[in-house]
């Protein structure tokens, strides 16, 4: 049986996979997609958000803030709320999917806010 936590992850994974972005090799020379997230106190398991190459090819970047509600007994993330959108619902969904997989030391004070930035460094856009 699915737990509430694993069901959330499964639903967000499905939505993100249906976003329709290709994961073909980048067609941008010298580009490096970078995802940076905060590292709040008590964090013991950190999963970085996926940054599909389709977003990179089209130059989609964004920066947001997310509020994590942490289960004090297990240290698992029970809920993620968008405090500030990245500007793209698909990037928000990918961030939430990753943040729901984070784990903190039991007893970590909750909630915590985490910045997430999707960025592209270097290169020139070459679209085919």
């Amino acid at each position: 049986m699915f737990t509430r936590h694993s069901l959330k992850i499964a639903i967000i994974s499905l939505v993100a996979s249906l976003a329709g972005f290709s994961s073909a090799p980048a067609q941008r020379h010298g580009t490096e997609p970078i995802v940076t997230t905060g590292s709040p106190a008590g964090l013991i398991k950190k999963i970085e958000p996926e940054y599909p190459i389709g977003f990179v090819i089209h130059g989609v970047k964004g920066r947001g803030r997310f509020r994590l509600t942490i289960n004090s007994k297990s240290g698992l993330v029970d809920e993620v709320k968008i405090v500030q959108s990245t500007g793209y619902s698909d990037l928000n969904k990918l961030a939430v999917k990753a943040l729901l997989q984070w784990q903190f030391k039991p007893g970590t004070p909750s909630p915590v806010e985490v910045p997430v930035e999707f960025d592209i460094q270097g290169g020139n856009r070459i679209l085919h």
Side-chain angles (χ1 to χ4, degrees), residues 1-127:
M1 260 231 139
F2 283 111
T3 64
R4 184 175 175 207
H5 182 72
S6 64
L7 186 57
K8 284 182 199 176
I9 292 172
I11 290 170
I12 291 171
S13 297
L14 178 62
V15 170
S17 69
L18 295 175
F21 286 94
S22 169
S23 60
Q27 296 180 10
R28 303 177 92 203
H29 297 286
T31 60
E32 184 179 351
I34 298 172
V35 180
T36 54
T37 57
S39 294
L43 183 63
I44 58 175
K45 179 184 172 192
K46 182 177 187 177
I47 304 295
E48 295 291 351
E50 179 185 352
Y51 198 175
I53 203 65
F55 287 95
V56 177
I57 290 170
H58 290 65
V60 176
K61 301 189 274 185
R63 180 184 305 168
R65 289 193 71 75
F66 299 82
R67 182 175 296 128
L68 285 58
T69 302
I70 304 164
N71 182 303
S72 63
K73 291 182 182 177
S74 68
L76 296 174
V77 176
D78 283 338
E79 181 179 42
V80 177
K81 289 188 177 182
I82 300 168
V83 175
Q84 176 188 345
S85 173
T86 62
Y88 296 92
S89 64
D90 290 328
L91 291 182
N92 291 340
K93 290 172 188 170
L94 290 167
V96 169
K97 175 185 172 187
L99 296 170
L100 281 169
Q101 297 176 68
W102 284 21
Q103 186 172 1
F104 292 80
K105 291 179 185 173
T108 299
S110 178
V112 297
E113 285 195 13
V114 177
V116 177
E117 182 174 4
F118 295 86
D119 196 12
I120 303 166
Q121 293 186 351
N124 298 315
R125 287 183 63 171
I126 299 173
L127 301 176

